[in-house]
Every structure is written in structure tokens, then in C-alpha cells.
Amino acid sequence: MGATQRVAMTDVARRAGVSQKTVSRVVNGEPHVTEAIRAKVQAAIEELGFRPNAAARALVTRRNQRIGMVTPSTSLYGPAQILEGVDSALRGSGYHLSVARTRGNGVADLQAAIDELVAQDIAGLVLSEPIDLGQPQLRIPHGLPVLSFGSPKAGSSTSSTTEASARPDELVLGADETAGARSAVEHLLALGHHTVHHLGGTEGWSATARRIAGWRAALSDAGVEAPPLMHGDWTPRSGYEAAVDLLRRAGVTAIFAANDHMAIGAIRAVEQAGLRVPEDVSIAGFDDAPEAEFLSTPLTTVRQDFAEVTRLAVHRLVGTIEGRPPAERHRLIPAQLIVRESTAPPPSATHRASPPERQA
């Protein structure tokens, strides 16, 4: 077979009936191009299969060496691991990381961080924002590849002001937290617990909602009504305080905490109440933080492979920047249930008939 001739910017300009400079402006997301002209150029790009040469584009934009990342100003385990994973995955790739931290929880804070990074002529943008902001319309330059972590949503959470539909260069990749939470609750129900109480994370966080969804789905599938939900803020103290309140209720034998640190706090509350884990109360967490395995009672938890998620995500982002976008733009990575010693059948399970919803 003969060699395929590379489509040049001049070919796109000729097909669209515009100047090469106009094509360059569209490709590089520059302003001062009308929507009609931009649409005409984009149609020509798609028709001809044009892919910008990364090295040539870098001579004009200087974007080939820097990727911007928006992350919350927090030391919490999950966000910190995502930041570390992105930074590690970029080492040796030829790209450098610029980080902008959000100080508040609003759309304006997120947009300010994005603007700070865009001003640095970044090649790509990573959004690691755990707060559910309700899919706002964000100002992101046309053509700038965007990577976000979590679960794909209907529509686009990173729509630019010039594009209301899902961006062709938006990538979404994350652990399947909903399925992971479901597996933890199903594990506790299979042990014979008649229900599972949940200590949720901070209200308004996307991870909180996904883990609640998994908890509710597992109970619903088992024909069990979900007990009242309690919230913490991801810290051990909040898990402790929520569990103290929870243990005032009768018949609590199983607790699923939204992360391992809250689970550790819950273990302390159980022990202070004169009860034992797991003989009296089983406790499961989420994340598989390093200390989970080395507690006096090793913690059953759901493992998120942050290193693998960020490695795959950065690989896809770099490929998109360099004109090699993945065929699959949205992907969830399975989370793994790790069963340790903090979960067991409920007290006197062998002497108690199975509740109706658990009978074969």
C-alpha cells in the first residue's frame, strides 16, 4: 500500500474557503473567530481527518510542555492521591504539571482556577474537583483537551461558552465507586446482617453521592429498606461522632463508612461503647488507605487503584493532545472489595432465622 499523505493546514483552509491563519486560530482555540466560520473550519477538519502536528503547534502556542490541573485545597486521601498519581504519570512524558488549587466550593472558584491555568498556554486541562457543581457552563478554550475524574454524566460538565454539547476532546475516567460501594454492602448482607447503616461523606461531594447510590442499590436489590443516612466529613473524628450517635439505636450490627478514615473513627466509637469489631459490629470502609491493613483489626474496604486510574487517564490525555485520541472517551475502572477481619456474621447469627428478605 502506498503511504498516506498527511493532511496539512493549507488543505483545511482550501476546503473551508478561509485563510490558513483562520484555521490556525480555530485549531489553537483563539478568539476573534465567528461561530459560523469556526463551524465551517471544524467541518473541514473532520471531513479531511486533519490532526495538528504537536511539535509544529507548540512553536506557535508553546503548549506542548505544560498540563494544568485544578484540585481542591485539601490533604484528604482521595484528592491527594489523584494529584500525586497525575504528577507521577507525567514524569518522563515530556510534560510538566501546573497546579491551581480551589479555595472555595463554588463555580466561581473553579472558573478562576481554570482561567489561571489557561493563561499559562497549557496543552491540556485536568479537573480534579470533588464538589458536585451541577454541570456548570465553564469558559474553556475550544480545542483544549479536558480530563476529569469520576463517572460520566449526561451532557458535559465542562462545556465551553461556545459549545453546549459534550466536547469531542473531553475525557472522563475514574474508579467505579457505585459498584464498589454496592459490593461492600452485599458482602455484609451475605454475612447475615439484616441491614447495613451508612456513614456518608461530605454532602455535595460527587464521591459521596456515588457511594450512597451503591449502598442504596444493594439494599434495594435485597429487599431491605435503607435506614436513615448519616453524614461525616471524611475525617476519623466525624466517623467517630456519627457512630456514637448511630450506636444509640438498637440492633446496629453493620456499618459501611464512606472512607477508611471515617471507618477508623467508627471502630473507636464501637470499642468505647464496650462492643467488639467484628463480633458485635462489623465495619467496612472505602479507599484501602495504607493504614487500613495494619489496624489492630485489619479493615475490610473497597480498593481504588489511584495509580492505575491516573496512569490510564494521563496516557489518554497526552494521546489526545498529540492527535491520538482514544476511541473510548469515558471509562470506569472496577474497584475491588478487600475482605479483612473487621467484618463477620452478626451476633448469634447461627441461632437466628434468616429474615424474610434474605431467605432463599
Side-chain angles (χ1 to χ4, degrees):
M1 296 178 63
T4 301
Q5 185 176 0
R6 182 182 178 89
V7 177
M9 195 174 290
T10 53
D11 299 318
V12 176
R14 188 178 304 111
R15 181 61 59 90
V18 298
S19 69
Q20 184 176 337
K21 178 60 178 176
T22 298
V23 175
S24 177
R25 284 175 174 166
V26 172
V27 168
N28 294 316
E30 296 177 12
H32 312 304
V33 180
T34 67
E35 285 308 301
I37 294 297
R38 191 184 300 276
K40 185 182 296 186
V41 172
Q42 287 290 352
I45 287 173
E46 293 175 9
E47 180 182 350
L48 297 174
F50 172 70
R51 290 291 179 268
N53 179 279
R57 183 178 176 184
L59 292 175
V60 177
T61 66
R62 294 177 294 173
R63 289 182 177 174
N64 67 318
Q65 294 183 336
R66 191 157 299 280
I67 289 174
M69 180 171 181
V70 177
T71 187
S73 185
T74 178
S75 60
L76 289 173
Y77 181 72
Q81 287 298 110
I82 291 175
L83 174 57
E84 172 62 26
V86 171
D87 185 47
S88 297
L90 283 175
R91 292 172 192 166
S93 69
Y95 292 83
H96 305 285
L97 185 65
S98 290
V99 178
R101 296 183 181 273
T102 53
R103 301 296 174 182
N105 298 332
V107 175
D109 299 287
L110 178 58
Q111 185 63 63
I114 292 172
D115 292 344
E116 175 186 334
L117 293 169
V118 168
Q120 300 177 34
D121 288 329
I122 53 176
L125 178 64
V126 180
L127 297 179
S128 179
E129 175 53 65
I131 308 300
D132 186 353
L133 298 173
Q135 302 183 40
Q137 295 293 307
L138 300 170
R139 296 188 306 275
I140 299 176
H142 189 96
L144 180 65
V146 178
L147 165 67
S148 58
F149 293 96
S151 300
K153 297 179 180 179
S156 173
S157 62
T158 57
S159 298
S160 70
T161 54
T162 60
E163 182 179 37
S165 60
R167 297 167 56 101
D169 46 13
E170 179 184 5
L171 308 170
V172 182
L173 194 142
D176 193 341
E177 297 171 85
T178 300
R182 178 197 286 262
S183 69
V185 177
E186 288 175 343
H187 163 68
L188 290 163
L189 293 174
L191 289 172
H193 296 275
H194 69 281
T195 192
V196 178
H197 295 264
H198 184 43
L199 306 184
T202 302
E203 293 186 79
W205 282 48
S206 300
T208 299
R210 289 191 286 266
R211 296 170 200 188
I212 289 174
W215 167 67
R216 291 190 188 280
L219 293 179
S220 177
D221 287 351
V224 177
E225 183 178 355
L229 172 67
M230 304 189 72
H231 280 283
D233 63 5
W234 307 111
T235 63
R237 175 166 293 280
S238 72
Y240 168 81
E241 292 173 349
V244 167
D245 289 341
L246 182 59
L247 291 170
R248 295 192 177 105
R249 306 173 188 174
V252 175
T253 65
I255 298 173
F256 167 52
N259 73 340
D260 291 346
H261 290 161
M262 292 179 65
I264 289 170
I267 290 173
R268 178 64 171 161
V270 169
E271 292 173 344
Q272 280 198 340
L275 302 172
R276 299 164 299 166
V277 175
E279 291 86 354
D280 299 306
V281 180
S282 288
I283 296 180
F286 203 106
D287 283 339
D288 196 23
E291 57 267 38
E293 183 180 0
F294 300 100
L295 300 173
S296 57
T297 302
L299 182 65
T300 292
T301 185
V302 178
R303 175 180 294 163
Q304 291 194 83
D305 193 340
F306 289 105
E308 179 66 4
V309 167
T310 51
R311 184 191 68 81
L312 287 173
V314 168
H315 175 76
R316 287 169 169 234
L317 177 61
V318 170
T320 300
I321 292 169
E322 297 179 350
R324 297 176 283 104
E328 180 186 43
R329 293 188 295 117
H330 297 169
R331 183 178 177 186
L332 289 177
I333 306 300
Q336 181 184 6
L337 177 66
I338 307 296
V339 177
R340 298 195 179 106
E341 297 170 28
S342 67
T343 52
S348 305
T350 57
H351 304 292
R352 186 175 63 226
S354 298
E357 67 272 11
R358 301 296 297 166
Q359 290 180 344

